[in-house]
Amino acid sequence: KSINKALILFLFGLSLYHFRLQFLPIFRVWSVEQYLERTERTITISKWINENLPANAKILVRGEVRFFYFERALIREKDFSNISKYLENRTPNEVAALLKEGEFTHLLDGISLQPRSGQKKVETKFDLLVRDSSLTRKLVTMVSKNTRESKFVYNVYELL
């Protein structure tokens, strides 16, 4: 019986530890906004996009897969590239024209501050596009505030 009680207490303590962050907003230690900022990496950039970009903005997103808090049309760059092959044998000017033809208005680039080991940054035409000030204009750079996983730097660009 005492082993059962010890096991129950251990499992109860383990569950309290596991869900410790979820208890903070429940007991009003953190507000819901603070909880989201510290646990969800996209909350700050999604809030900025939702408040500052037009409702009809169509955004091509590279480097981020979490779209839940965004209230704009988002298309993953990888998916768009696989379907349209938009980067193949095209100059940055041609890429920008193709994106405008597809009614894209903005680009969102998410970059992990802790890339996977052995992962090398390969420059693509997407990089050339966002660096060309005649094709895009950087609107904002934000760093995620999350504490549970790797932080991201987000850059939002407007297609000109």
Side-chain angles (χ1 to χ4, degrees):
K1 288 187 176 186
S2 62
I3 291 176
N4 288 342
K5 288 179 184 178
L7 184 60
I8 289 171
L9 282 174
F10 172 75
L11 292 174
F12 180 71
L14 192 63
S15 66
L16 286 177
Y17 175 77
H18 180 75
F19 293 106
R20 67 193 178 281
L21 291 179
Q22 285 81 355
F23 289 123
L24 294 173
I26 292 170
F27 294 119
R28 310 260 188 238
V29 176
W30 285 352
S31 67
V32 173
E33 291 78 22
Q34 287 173 311
Y35 173 77
L36 287 172
E37 277 185 357
R38 293 177 183 165
T39 58
E40 174 53 47
R41 70 178 181 229
T42 62
I43 198 69
T44 53
I45 193 64
S46 65
K47 194 180 291 187
W48 188 91
I49 285 174
N50 295 340
E51 292 171 359
N52 294 287
L53 296 187
N56 64 344
K58 186 174 179 184
I59 306 165
L60 186 66
V61 181
R62 178 176 75 166
E64 183 55 72
V65 295
R66 298 177 180 182
F67 292 175
F68 185 77
Y69 293 100
F70 293 91
E71 297 171 0
R72 302 293 181 270
L74 295 137
I75 309 291
R76 284 186 54 209
E77 190 272 339
K78 196 171 196 170
D79 295 337
F80 184 72
S81 181
N82 287 339
I83 293 168
S84 69
K85 309 291 186 212
Y86 81 105
L87 293 175
E88 289 182 8
N89 303 316
R90 290 193 172 89
T91 66
N93 285 342
E94 292 170 331
V95 170
L98 189 93
L99 291 175
K100 286 182 197 172
E101 197 176 289
E103 298 181 356
F104 285 97
T105 58
H106 296 83
L107 306 171
L108 171 62
D109 195 12
I111 304 158
S112 174
L113 292 177
Q114 297 157 341
R116 296 180 195 142
S117 61
Q119 186 179 17
K120 293 182 180 179
K121 173 75 171 144
V122 177
E123 189 169 88
T124 67
K125 289 185 183 144
F126 187 96
D127 297 305
L128 297 174
L129 175 66
V130 297
R131 274 206 315 263
D132 190 332
S133 61
S134 69
L135 301 174
T136 60
R137 178 173 61 105
K138 186 185 282 190
L139 299 178
V140 70
T141 297
M142 299 182 94
V143 179
S144 64
K145 298 177 182 177
N146 56 303
T147 57
R148 293 189 65 152
E149 58 192 8
S150 66
K151 293 185 185 232
F152 271 60
V153 173
Y154 294 103
N155 295 300
V156 178
Y157 301 89
E158 178 181 20
L159 279 169
L160 302 176

